[in-house]
Amino acid sequence: MSGGPGTDRGGAGGGGAGGRSVARAEAPLWVAALRWELRRGRQVILTGQVRDRWWWRGRPVPFRTVLAHALHGCGADTVAWWDPVGGLVFPLDGDQGRFESLDQRQSARAAAARPATGESAAHPGPDAARHPGRGPEPGPGDADDPARPPARPDGDATRRGGIRRLASDGLFTARPARRLAAVDDALAEAHRLAASPGAAVAFVFEDVDLALPLNESSSVQGYLRLRAAMSDAATPLPRDASGPAAATGAGSGTVKAADGPAAPSPTARNAVVAVVGDLSRLPAWLYREDPRTVVLHVGAPDQAERRRWFAMIGGEFNGAEDAGPAEFEALVGATDGMAGWELDALARTSHIRHVPVREPGRLLERHRINVNVDPWSQIDRRTVAEAAGELGTRVIGQRTAVDAVVGALQAAYVGVGFGGSGAARPRGSFFFVGPTGVGKTELAKSVAQLIFGDPSAYARFDMSEYQQEHAAERLAGAPPGFIGYDQGGELTRRVRERPFSVLLFDEIEKAHPAVLDKFLQILEDGRLTDGQGRTAYFSQSLIIFTSNTGAGGLPALLAEHGDDLPYEVLHEHFTGAVEEKFRAIGRPEIYGRLKPGVVVFDMLRTEHVVGIADRLLGQLADSLHERHGVELLHDPKTVHPWITGRMADPERQAYGGRQIRNEFEPVLGAVVRYVIGQEPPRGSRIRLGIADDGTVRVTPDTAGSGNDSGNDSGNDSGNGYGHGDGGTG
């Protein structure tokens, strides 16, 4: 061959009378690579998108049809295709008849070339084993042999002569094609014919990896047969122009070109091609030890090929008559990574979902997400308008953070942004940073509840579990051949199952830098492909990263400024710490993408301590009432001063709202002991207070229960249960 994949595919040897060679635009790019390797004398293993739809001469066709035509264009008279279900079949019309004729000619030539050594019918030649059901091949002294004794007048021949006559009578008789369902039989036939210079034939073995599993020792022999068929394949002999190969340009050596001089042969050897979906299911020695065997990966259609697809099927889209080139060009850019079958399905989606091609962004969203109701479009306008107040009651003291999130929610609800048509970036991406225990995780949960009305729409990924480099595979799945490949990625699986989600990546600073690289594609393109080639789209998700980077310096800031630490100083401290962190790990580009979404949470200030304390005590009261039917009241005149005094310590203040929960552990213990010891009846009320010495007191609330008798006879000190600062009060 005079050129590589970049040359015209209609070159020498491919342009016979059969018209089996095509111009560049009439076949996918991988066909050019296949032809190039075959013409160099290599055998090919195809893997990747081998189940996809492709095209041939301007119309979509299955992969099998494209490959069969391509092999014909490389000089094969006949293309035989084997798979575990159908056995040996012939994808193109006329190939079966040519194969049967070729099979019979090869058998006859083998018989004619056999030495006349008096081979006994009791010991038939090797062709008899390869052709079960046929008689033994004729030996010397057949019907035309003058040395053969004439038959007896009564027609009774000798036993030896009868066997020979039966063999010769059946040799050229047309017989039904043998199905060759067993892979060993098909490999033996491929070896026999491909190794014959008198045959211009191509064999394709699809899913041979499933017929010969690696975990079975008997499969080794089958793969050895496949390697032998590949390595022993012969170069077809030159044919006369009037021969059967003239229409396809088959032959070796030279082929007479139309303009006079001899042209190079279209193929160097008969092709034996293996087609597998997963290369890891083949033994590596099959393709690594022989330089004449090469692996070609069939990838998804590239940009030029997708443009070709839409040129072929553009008229099938809803509203195609009103669409211009700009709409289809937007689809070309936005469908990167999609298979040919998906491009066909996109046209059907436009009719099923009633979305015209003039709205490419909306069409892609409806195609990628298999839901009929978009939760973003179902949000009540009043809910969006009042989101700041709703979230502010759940996350106390973080007005700046709440306002930033609400702004993104409102933009997502309106549906406007800087992305072009078909852009698939997440609905919002944030980087929450600040002191620990100030509501970063709580805000993410509250957003999920507000938008989707379902707490399960919130998914948290603890990035402390991704500190090793290999942990990056947990997000998108292990590559082929590695443990966990069949399970897919934790993140990609979640997004495919629940595309409408709030995804929280907690303590992102603890993740390995290789893990952070996974988020570049998510933030920029809104998608991530797992190890199995399946793509998860994040266009309907809200992405939130949280970090405590810089929290270690907070006690020093509090010691310097006290409780009056300005938010501006806090903001500068944390943003600087985050930027320095990403530069230290060599990933400043990630910070560049996250910088617009960086939200610094304020420290827990004194005026917010009381609100958080009341909320925690309210949760305790709800739990007690639900389980035991007892109402819990707390005395704000004693509880509030006690908790604000405890949280005035800068060390405690640095731990935020989580420390308030820790301070209330004695309160919880006192309530539990009272319920166990006193067994208050359902419908009763108990009161919680804090003594001057810090002792927690739990007593019956006689003023509100309407029952002053029994064990609660006015003696609080005798019947109450308490807990001091370090022990029981």
Side-chain angles (χ1 to χ4, degrees):
M1 180 173 177
S2 58
T7 62
D8 188 359
R9 300 179 197 174
R20 285 171 177 155
S21 67
V22 294
R24 177 176 299 276
E26 293 183 347
L29 184 60
W30 62 264
V31 173
L34 172 71
R35 293 167 63 93
W36 169 235
E37 297 295 352
L38 292 179
R39 289 178 175 180
R40 294 200 297 175
R42 282 178 162 175
Q43 302 291 11
V44 177
I45 298 174
L46 290 172
T47 184
Q49 301 276 18
V50 296
R51 318 289 180 207
D52 199 7
R53 281 174 62 80
W54 292 92
W55 76 86
W56 188 260
R57 294 184 176 177
R59 62 186 182 89
V61 293
F63 172 84
R64 177 178 294 197
T65 303
V66 178
L67 181 54
H69 277 295
L71 293 173
H72 266 295
C74 286
D77 282 345
T78 302
V79 176
W81 192 292
W82 183 92
D83 67 72
V85 176
L88 195 68
V89 296
F90 303 91
L92 301 182
D93 293 339
D95 276 4
Q96 181 171 349
R98 286 190 290 270
F99 181 84
E100 294 173 4
S101 176
L102 172 65
D103 194 14
Q104 293 172 359
R105 289 200 308 271
Q106 292 300 109
S107 298
R109 287 172 181 168
R114 185 175 299 123
T117 58
E119 182 178 353
S120 172
H123 299 84
D127 281 347
R130 285 192 296 262
H131 298 276
R134 291 186 180 177
E137 299 294 343
D142 58 10
D144 297 326
D145 189 350
R148 177 185 177 187
R152 296 180 181 178
D154 57 359
D156 183 17
T158 64
R159 179 174 178 271
R160 180 179 177 85
I163 292 175
R164 287 172 176 166
R165 186 162 53 252
L166 289 174
S168 62
D169 288 345
L171 178 61
F172 297 106
T173 302
R175 297 178 180 271
R178 289 167 291 118
R179 186 164 178 263
L180 292 177
V183 63
D184 289 336
D185 293 340
L187 288 170
E189 185 77 352
H191 190 192
R192 184 177 72 90
L193 292 179
S196 172
V201 64
F203 280 87
V204 179
F205 289 90
E206 182 181 10
D207 292 333
V208 67
D209 53 316
L210 301 180
L212 300 171
L214 285 179
N215 58 357
E216 296 183 7
S217 58
S218 59
S219 298
V220 176
Q221 189 66 26
Y223 284 116
L224 289 173
R225 291 191 182 98
L226 176 60
R227 185 172 71 173
M230 289 179 163
S231 60
D232 295 346
T235 300
L237 293 172
R239 304 290 185 85
D240 184 78
S242 61
T248 62
S252 67
T254 59
V255 176
K256 190 70 174 179
D259 53 356
S265 169
T267 185
R269 294 193 295 160
N270 286 328
V272 180
V273 179
V275 176
V276 295
D278 182 1
L279 187 64
S280 66
R281 293 198 293 261
L282 289 179
W285 53 262
L286 180 64
Y287 51 89
R288 288 181 179 172
E289 297 179 1
D290 192 341
R292 296 172 298 173
T293 301
V294 64
V295 176
L296 290 182
H297 180 77
V298 181
D302 62 16
Q303 187 179 55
E305 290 173 329
R306 295 196 304 277
R307 189 174 290 112
R308 175 71 177 174
W309 266 106
F310 290 124
M312 290 187 294
I313 66 172
E316 301 175 13
F317 280 83
N318 181 13
E321 63 278 1
D322 300 324
E327 283 78 8
F328 285 103
E329 192 62 27
L331 286 179
V332 170
T335 52
D336 184 26
M338 293 179 66
W341 184 92
E342 290 183 285
L343 299 179
D344 275 352
L346 189 63
R348 293 190 289 272
T349 300
S350 67
H351 293 279
I352 296 171
R353 295 297 180 88
H354 308 290
V355 181
V357 71
R358 300 189 309 274
E359 304 177 31
R362 184 163 161 254
L363 174 59
L364 284 169
E365 287 183 4
R366 294 296 182 270
H367 176 73
R368 290 166 174 164
I369 302 172
N370 188 24
V371 293
N372 292 321
V373 178
D374 181 355
W376 291 97
S377 64
Q378 302 300 310
I379 302 175
D380 182 67
R381 183 180 295 272
R382 182 185 296 273
T383 300
V384 175
E386 300 175 356
E390 176 69 19
L391 295 177
T393 60
R394 301 185 184 186
V395 184
I396 299 173
Q398 301 297 338
R399 176 57 57 186
T400 302
V402 168
D403 289 344
V405 173
V406 168
L409 295 180
Q410 292 175 346
Y413 173 77
V414 176
V416 298
F418 294 107
S421 292
R425 292 185 179 90
R427 289 293 180 115
S429 57
F430 299 97
F431 191 95
F432 290 171
V433 64
T436 182
V438 294
K440 298 187 291 291
T441 302
E442 182 64 28
L443 181 56
K445 292 180 179 178
S446 301
V447 169
Q449 178 67 36
L450 177 70
I451 299 301
F452 304 117
D454 183 4
S456 64
Y458 159 82
R460 176 180 175 271
F461 295 85
D462 187 352
M463 303 312 292
S464 64
E465 301 176 0
Y466 296 82
Q467 298 185 33
Q468 304 299 323
E469 182 176 3
H470 62 79
E473 298 171 357
R474 290 178 53 188
L475 292 177
F482 288 81
I483 296 176
Y485 167 73
D486 295 334
Q487 300 176 1
E490 295 177 1
L491 177 58
T492 52
R493 183 173 62 249
R494 161 72 193 201
V495 174
R496 284 197 308 271
E497 295 173 355
R498 296 289 300 268
F500 298 93
S501 297
V502 175
L503 304 175
L504 177 70
F505 301 96
D506 207 8
E507 298 184 310
I508 189 66
E509 75 278 2
K510 296 182 179 179
H512 192 277
V515 177
L516 300 179
D517 293 338
K518 295 289 185 182
F519 297 112
L520 284 174
Q521 188 178 2
I522 295 175
L523 297 173
E524 187 66 24
D525 300 326
R527 69 184 182 196
L528 186 64
T529 302
D530 66 9
Q532 299 179 358
R534 299 173 299 186
T535 302
Y537 296 95
F538 294 76
S539 58
Q540 303 300 324
S541 301
L542 199 64
I543 309 294
I544 299 176
F545 303 94
T546 70
S547 175
N548 294 325
T549 301
L554 186 58
L557 289 176
L558 289 172
E560 179 182 354
H561 296 276
D563 194 41
D564 296 330
L565 174 64
Y567 175 77
E568 290 75 16
V569 175
L570 197 71
H571 183 276
E572 182 179 356
H573 168 76
F574 278 102
T575 53
V578 171
E579 184 173 4
E580 182 180 351
K581 173 68 175 180
F582 279 103
R583 292 189 182 278
I585 64 176
R587 298 297 190 277
E589 66 277 8
I590 299 180
Y591 179 74
R593 288 169 171 80
L594 290 172
K595 189 174 182 179
V598 173
V599 177
V600 177
F601 277 61
D602 197 3
M603 58 175 285
L604 185 63
R605 301 186 183 273
T606 303
E607 60 268 24
H608 303 140
V609 171
V610 170
I612 296 175
D614 286 343
R615 182 176 179 183
L616 289 173
L617 291 175
Q619 293 173 353
L620 177 60
D622 291 342
S623 175
L624 181 63
H625 187 271
E626 179 182 354
R627 295 296 301 273
H628 300 280
V630 176
E631 185 175 355
L632 174 66
L633 305 175
H634 70 273
D635 182 11
K637 294 181 180 180
T638 60
V639 173
H640 289 173
W642 173 77
I643 191 62
T644 54
R646 300 283 295 179
M647 293 301 298
D649 183 358
E651 288 293 333
R652 293 190 176 100
Q653 195 174 10
Y655 291 101
R658 195 169 288 114
Q659 183 62 32
I660 298 179
R661 184 189 297 270
N662 295 339
E663 297 296 329
F664 275 146
E665 284 297 324
V667 174
L668 174 62
V671 172
V672 169
R673 286 192 299 275
Y674 181 87
V675 172
I676 293 176
Q678 296 297 309
E679 298 183 9
R682 300 185 70 86
S684 62
R685 302 167 72 178
I686 60 177
R687 183 171 294 275
L688 171 69
I690 307 292
D692 292 340
D693 61 355
T695 301
V696 180
R697 305 292 298 178
V698 181
T699 60
D701 183 50
T702 56
S705 64
N707 181 7
D708 297 337
S709 62
N711 294 331
D712 299 335
S713 56
N715 188 353
D716 290 354
S717 62
N719 297 318
Y721 282 73
H723 196 295
D725 194 18
T728 303

PDB file of all heavy atoms in Angstrom, residues 342-364:
ATOM      1  N   GLU A 342     -26.580   6.031  19.728  1.00  0.00           N
ATOM      2  CA  GLU A 342     -27.175   7.122  20.496  1.00  0.00           C
ATOM      3  C   GLU A 342     -27.531   8.306  19.601  1.00  0.00           C
ATOM      4  O   GLU A 342     -28.522   9.002  19.857  1.00  0.00           O
ATOM      5  CB  GLU A 342     -26.217   7.560  21.596  1.00  0.00           C
ATOM      6  CG  GLU A 342     -26.055   6.564  22.713  1.00  0.00           C
ATOM      7  CD  GLU A 342     -25.158   7.084  23.812  1.00  0.00           C
ATOM      8  OE1 GLU A 342     -23.925   7.116  23.599  1.00  0.00           O
ATOM      9  OE2 GLU A 342     -25.671   7.465  24.865  1.00  0.00           O
ATOM     10  N   LEU A 343     -26.736   8.545  18.569  1.00  0.00           N
ATOM     11  CA  LEU A 343     -27.066   9.636  17.650  1.00  0.00           C
ATOM     12  C   LEU A 343     -28.358   9.327  16.908  1.00  0.00           C
ATOM     13  O   LEU A 343     -29.180  10.213  16.678  1.00  0.00           O
ATOM     14  CB  LEU A 343     -25.908   9.849  16.667  1.00  0.00           C
ATOM     15  CG  LEU A 343     -24.560  10.227  17.293  1.00  0.00           C
ATOM     16  CD1 LEU A 343     -23.505  10.389  16.212  1.00  0.00           C
ATOM     17  CD2 LEU A 343     -24.677  11.490  18.123  1.00  0.00           C
ATOM     18  N   ASP A 344     -28.527   8.067  16.516  1.00  0.00           N
ATOM     19  CA  ASP A 344     -29.809   7.659  15.920  1.00  0.00           C
ATOM     20  C   ASP A 344     -30.954   7.832  16.915  1.00  0.00           C
ATOM     21  O   ASP A 344     -32.031   8.328  16.571  1.00  0.00           O
ATOM     22  CB  ASP A 344     -29.736   6.192  15.490  1.00  0.00           C
ATOM     23  CG  ASP A 344     -29.127   6.027  14.106  1.00  0.00           C
ATOM     24  OD1 ASP A 344     -28.904   7.056  13.438  1.00  0.00           O
ATOM     25  OD2 ASP A 344     -28.868   4.891  13.701  1.00  0.00           O
ATOM     26  N   ALA A 345     -30.711   7.402  18.163  1.00  0.00           N
ATOM     27  CA  ALA A 345     -31.751   7.493  19.182  1.00  0.00           C
ATOM     28  C   ALA A 345     -32.095   8.941  19.512  1.00  0.00           C
ATOM     29  O   ALA A 345     -33.220   9.242  19.921  1.00  0.00           O
ATOM     30  CB  ALA A 345     -31.308   6.767  20.450  1.00  0.00           C
ATOM     31  N   LEU A 346     -31.150   9.845  19.325  1.00  0.00           N
ATOM     32  CA  LEU A 346     -31.404  11.256  19.594  1.00  0.00           C
ATOM     33  C   LEU A 346     -32.505  11.793  18.682  1.00  0.00           C
ATOM     34  O   LEU A 346     -33.348  12.598  19.104  1.00  0.00           O
ATOM     35  CB  LEU A 346     -30.109  12.059  19.400  1.00  0.00           C
ATOM     36  CG  LEU A 346     -30.132  13.518  19.829  1.00  0.00           C
ATOM     37  CD1 LEU A 346     -30.379  13.635  21.324  1.00  0.00           C
ATOM     38  CD2 LEU A 346     -28.805  14.196  19.471  1.00  0.00           C
ATOM     39  N   ALA A 347     -32.503  11.338  17.431  1.00  0.00           N
ATOM     40  CA  ALA A 347     -33.564  11.748  16.511  1.00  0.00           C
ATOM     41  C   ALA A 347     -34.918  11.231  16.980  1.00  0.00           C
ATOM     42  O   ALA A 347     -35.929  11.948  16.911  1.00  0.00           O
ATOM     43  CB  ALA A 347     -33.255  11.250  15.098  1.00  0.00           C
ATOM     44  N   ARG A 348     -34.962  10.006  17.477  1.00  0.00           N
ATOM     45  CA  ARG A 348     -36.227   9.469  17.993  1.00  0.00           C
ATOM     46  C   ARG A 348     -36.670  10.204  19.257  1.00  0.00           C
ATOM     47  O   ARG A 348     -37.864  10.424  19.471  1.00  0.00           O
ATOM     48  CB  ARG A 348     -36.070   7.970  18.260  1.00  0.00           C
ATOM     49  CG  ARG A 348     -35.869   7.150  16.995  1.00  0.00           C
ATOM     50  CD  ARG A 348     -35.956   5.657  17.272  1.00  0.00           C
ATOM     51  NE  ARG A 348     -34.802   5.175  18.010  1.00  0.00           N
ATOM     52  CZ  ARG A 348     -33.676   4.755  17.444  1.00  0.00           C
ATOM     53  NH1 ARG A 348     -33.567   4.772  16.123  1.00  0.00           N
ATOM     54  NH2 ARG A 348     -32.677   4.315  18.168  1.00  0.00           N
ATOM     55  N   THR A 349     -35.688  10.577  20.092  1.00  0.00           N
ATOM     56  CA  THR A 349     -36.026  11.324  21.305  1.00  0.00           C
ATOM     57  C   THR A 349     -36.715  12.643  20.972  1.00  0.00           C
ATOM     58  O   THR A 349     -37.627  13.077  21.682  1.00  0.00           O
ATOM     59  CB  THR A 349     -34.750  11.597  22.122  1.00  0.00           C
ATOM     60  OG1 THR A 349     -34.155  10.350  22.485  1.00  0.00           O
ATOM     61  CG2 THR A 349     -35.059  12.380  23.384  1.00  0.00           C
ATOM     62  N   SER A 350     -36.284  13.287  19.905  1.00  0.00           N
ATOM     63  CA  SER A 350     -36.880  14.578  19.551  1.00  0.00           C
ATOM     64  C   SER A 350     -38.371  14.448  19.282  1.00  0.00           C
ATOM     65  O   SER A 350     -39.134  15.393  19.541  1.00  0.00           O
ATOM     66  CB  SER A 350     -36.165  15.165  18.329  1.00  0.00           C
ATOM     67  OG  SER A 350     -36.401  14.367  17.168  1.00  0.00           O
ATOM     68  N   HIS A 351     -38.821  13.292  18.813  1.00  0.00           N
ATOM     69  CA  HIS A 351     -40.250  13.076  18.578  1.00  0.00           C
ATOM     70  C   HIS A 351     -40.947  12.580  19.840  1.00  0.00           C
ATOM     71  O   HIS A 351     -42.054  13.027  20.160  1.00  0.00           O
ATOM     72  CB  HIS A 351     -40.447  12.060  17.446  1.00  0.00           C
ATOM     73  CG  HIS A 351     -39.994  12.550  16.104  1.00  0.00           C
ATOM     74  ND1 HIS A 351     -40.768  13.376  15.304  1.00  0.00           N
ATOM     75  CD2 HIS A 351     -38.834  12.338  15.425  1.00  0.00           C
ATOM     76  CE1 HIS A 351     -40.117  13.648  14.186  1.00  0.00           C
ATOM     77  NE2 HIS A 351     -38.939  13.031  14.232  1.00  0.00           N
ATOM     78  N   ILE A 352     -40.292  11.679  20.575  1.00  0.00           N
ATOM     79  CA  ILE A 352     -40.925  11.129  21.779  1.00  0.00           C
ATOM     80  C   ILE A 352     -41.135  12.220  22.829  1.00  0.00           C
ATOM     81  O   ILE A 352     -42.193  12.277  23.468  1.00  0.00           O
ATOM     82  CB  ILE A 352     -40.059   9.990  22.346  1.00  0.00           C
ATOM     83  CG1 ILE A 352     -39.981   8.836  21.342  1.00  0.00           C
ATOM     84  CG2 ILE A 352     -40.620   9.488  23.680  1.00  0.00           C
ATOM     85  CD1 ILE A 352     -38.984   7.764  21.736  1.00  0.00           C
ATOM     86  N   ARG A 353     -40.142  13.082  23.009  1.00  0.00           N
ATOM     87  CA  ARG A 353     -40.219  14.138  24.019  1.00  0.00           C
ATOM     88  C   ARG A 353     -40.736  15.459  23.455  1.00  0.00           C
ATOM     89  O   ARG A 353     -40.811  16.447  24.174  1.00  0.00           O
ATOM     90  CB  ARG A 353     -38.836  14.348  24.636  1.00  0.00           C
ATOM     91  CG  ARG A 353     -38.329  13.133  25.414  1.00  0.00           C
ATOM     92  CD  ARG A 353     -39.223  12.840  26.609  1.00  0.00           C
ATOM     93  NE  ARG A 353     -38.778  11.683  27.368  1.00  0.00           N
ATOM     94  CZ  ARG A 353     -37.898  11.718  28.358  1.00  0.00           C
ATOM     95  NH1 ARG A 353     -37.347  12.865  28.689  1.00  0.00           N
ATOM     96  NH2 ARG A 353     -37.566  10.628  28.992  1.00  0.00           N
ATOM     97  N   HIS A 354     -41.062  15.471  22.169  1.00  0.00           N
ATOM     98  CA  HIS A 354     -41.643  16.668  21.529  1.00  0.00           C
ATOM     99  C   HIS A 354     -40.718  17.886  21.671  1.00  0.00           C
ATOM    100  O   HIS A 354     -41.161  18.992  21.999  1.00  0.00           O
ATOM    101  CB  HIS A 354     -43.020  16.984  22.122  1.00  0.00           C
ATOM    102  CG  HIS A 354     -43.961  15.821  22.113  1.00  0.00           C
ATOM    103  ND1 HIS A 354     -44.512  15.314  20.958  1.00  0.00           N
ATOM    104  CD2 HIS A 354     -44.423  15.043  23.130  1.00  0.00           C
ATOM    105  CE1 HIS A 354     -45.295  14.283  21.256  1.00  0.00           C
ATOM    106  NE2 HIS A 354     -45.251  14.091  22.558  1.00  0.00           N
ATOM    107  N   VAL A 355     -39.424  17.656  21.425  1.00  0.00           N
ATOM    108  CA  VAL A 355     -38.441  18.737  21.497  1.00  0.00           C
ATOM    109  C   VAL A 355     -37.849  18.925  20.112  1.00  0.00           C
ATOM    110  O   VAL A 355     -37.223  18.006  19.568  1.00  0.00           O
ATOM    111  CB  VAL A 355     -37.322  18.419  22.507  1.00  0.00           C
ATOM    112  CG1 VAL A 355     -36.333  19.572  22.573  1.00  0.00           C
ATOM    113  CG2 VAL A 355     -37.909  18.135  23.878  1.00  0.00           C
ATOM    114  N   PRO A 356     -38.027  20.068  19.480  1.00  0.00           N
ATOM    115  CA  PRO A 356     -37.483  20.273  18.131  1.00  0.00           C
ATOM    116  C   PRO A 356     -35.969  20.409  18.167  1.00  0.00           C
ATOM    117  O   PRO A 356     -35.372  20.757  19.198  1.00  0.00           O
ATOM    118  CB  PRO A 356     -38.149  21.577  17.675  1.00  0.00           C
ATOM    119  CG  PRO A 356     -38.471  22.297  18.942  1.00  0.00           C
ATOM    120  CD  PRO A 356     -38.783  21.247  19.964  1.00  0.00           C
ATOM    121  N   VAL A 357     -35.359  20.138  17.033  1.00  0.00           N
ATOM    122  CA  VAL A 357     -33.913  20.208  16.942  1.00  0.00           C
ATOM    123  C   VAL A 357     -33.424  21.648  17.083  1.00  0.00           C
ATOM    124  O   VAL A 357     -32.236  21.888  17.318  1.00  0.00           O
ATOM    125  CB  VAL A 357     -33.445  19.580  15.610  1.00  0.00           C
ATOM    126  CG1 VAL A 357     -33.813  20.486  14.423  1.00  0.00           C
ATOM    127  CG2 VAL A 357     -31.952  19.295  15.627  1.00  0.00           C
ATOM    128  N   ARG A 358     -34.316  22.625  16.978  1.00  0.00           N
ATOM    129  CA  ARG A 358     -33.934  24.028  17.181  1.00  0.00           C
ATOM    130  C   ARG A 358     -33.530  24.304  18.624  1.00  0.00           C
ATOM    131  O   ARG A 358     -32.947  25.346  18.911  1.00  0.00           O
ATOM    132  CB  ARG A 358     -35.099  24.960  16.812  1.00  0.00           C
ATOM    133  CG  ARG A 358     -35.562  24.865  15.386  1.00  0.00           C
ATOM    134  CD  ARG A 358     -36.565  25.969  15.064  1.00  0.00           C
ATOM    135  NE  ARG A 358     -37.637  26.040  16.043  1.00  0.00           N
ATOM    136  CZ  ARG A 358     -38.757  25.311  16.003  1.00  0.00           C
ATOM    137  NH1 ARG A 358     -38.925  24.436  15.008  1.00  0.00           N
ATOM    138  NH2 ARG A 358     -39.690  25.438  16.918  1.00  0.00           N
ATOM    139  N   GLU A 359     -33.854  23.378  19.550  1.00  0.00           N
ATOM    140  CA  GLU A 359     -33.487  23.531  20.964  1.00  0.00           C
ATOM    141  C   GLU A 359     -32.511  22.410  21.335  1.00  0.00           C
ATOM    142  O   GLU A 359     -32.869  21.482  22.060  1.00  0.00           O
ATOM    143  CB  GLU A 359     -34.727  23.477  21.846  1.00  0.00           C
ATOM    144  CG  GLU A 359     -35.780  24.509  21.480  1.00  0.00           C
ATOM    145  CD  GLU A 359     -37.032  24.380  22.337  1.00  0.00           C
ATOM    146  OE1 GLU A 359     -36.912  23.960  23.514  1.00  0.00           O
ATOM    147  OE2 GLU A 359     -38.119  24.692  21.841  1.00  0.00           O
ATOM    148  N   PRO A 360     -31.285  22.473  20.850  1.00  0.00           N
ATOM    149  CA  PRO A 360     -30.352  21.358  21.062  1.00  0.00           C
ATOM    150  C   PRO A 360     -30.035  21.095  22.531  1.00  0.00           C
ATOM    151  O   PRO A 360     -29.888  19.948  22.944  1.00  0.00           O
ATOM    152  CB  PRO A 360     -29.102  21.773  20.280  1.00  0.00           C
ATOM    153  CG  PRO A 360     -29.212  23.256  20.129  1.00  0.00           C
ATOM    154  CD  PRO A 360     -30.675  23.559  20.061  1.00  0.00           C
ATOM    155  N   GLY A 361     -29.913  22.162  23.335  1.00  0.00           N
ATOM    156  CA  GLY A 361     -29.609  21.964  24.744  1.00  0.00           C
ATOM    157  C   GLY A 361     -30.707  21.205  25.462  1.00  0.00           C
ATOM    158  O   GLY A 361     -30.451  20.251  26.212  1.00  0.00           O
ATOM    159  N   ARG A 362     -31.942  21.593  25.234  1.00  0.00           N
ATOM    160  CA  ARG A 362     -33.073  20.917  25.874  1.00  0.00           C
ATOM    161  C   ARG A 362     -33.234  19.499  25.345  1.00  0.00           C
ATOM    162  O   ARG A 362     -33.582  18.578  26.094  1.00  0.00           O
ATOM    163  CB  ARG A 362     -34.346  21.730  25.625  1.00  0.00           C
ATOM    164  CG  ARG A 362     -35.574  21.184  26.330  1.00  0.00           C
ATOM    165  CD  ARG A 362     -36.662  22.237  26.382  1.00  0.00           C
ATOM    166  NE  ARG A 362     -37.962  21.641  26.620  1.00  0.00           N
ATOM    167  CZ  ARG A 362     -38.916  21.491  25.723  1.00  0.00           C
ATOM    168  NH1 ARG A 362     -38.709  21.926  24.483  1.00  0.00           N
ATOM    169  NH2 ARG A 362     -40.065  20.939  26.018  1.00  0.00           N
ATOM    170  N   LEU A 363     -32.972  19.306  24.064  1.00  0.00           N
ATOM    171  CA  LEU A 363     -33.071  17.971  23.479  1.00  0.00           C
ATOM    172  C   LEU A 363     -32.070  17.018  24.119  1.00  0.00           C
ATOM    173  O   LEU A 363     -32.404  15.874  24.457  1.00  0.00           O
ATOM    174  CB  LEU A 363     -32.841  18.054  21.972  1.00  0.00           C
ATOM    175  CG  LEU A 363     -32.765  16.719  21.208  1.00  0.00           C
ATOM    176  CD1 LEU A 363     -34.043  15.916  21.392  1.00  0.00           C
ATOM    177  CD2 LEU A 363     -32.498  16.962  19.730  1.00  0.00           C
ATOM    178  N   LEU A 364     -30.841  17.470  24.309  1.00  0.00           N
ATOM    179  CA  LEU A 364     -29.824  16.613  24.915  1.00  0.00           C
ATOM    180  C   LEU A 364     -30.158  16.291  26.363  1.00  0.00           C
ATOM    181  O   LEU A 364     -29.923  15.172  26.833  1.00  0.00           O
ATOM    182  CB  LEU A 364     -28.455  17.290  24.820  1.00  0.00           C
ATOM    183  CG  LEU A 364     -27.809  17.240  23.437  1.00  0.00           C
ATOM    184  CD1 LEU A 364     -26.607  18.166  23.378  1.00  0.00           C
ATOM    185  CD2 LEU A 364     -27.395  15.824  23.101  1.00  0.00           C
TER     186      LEU A 364
END
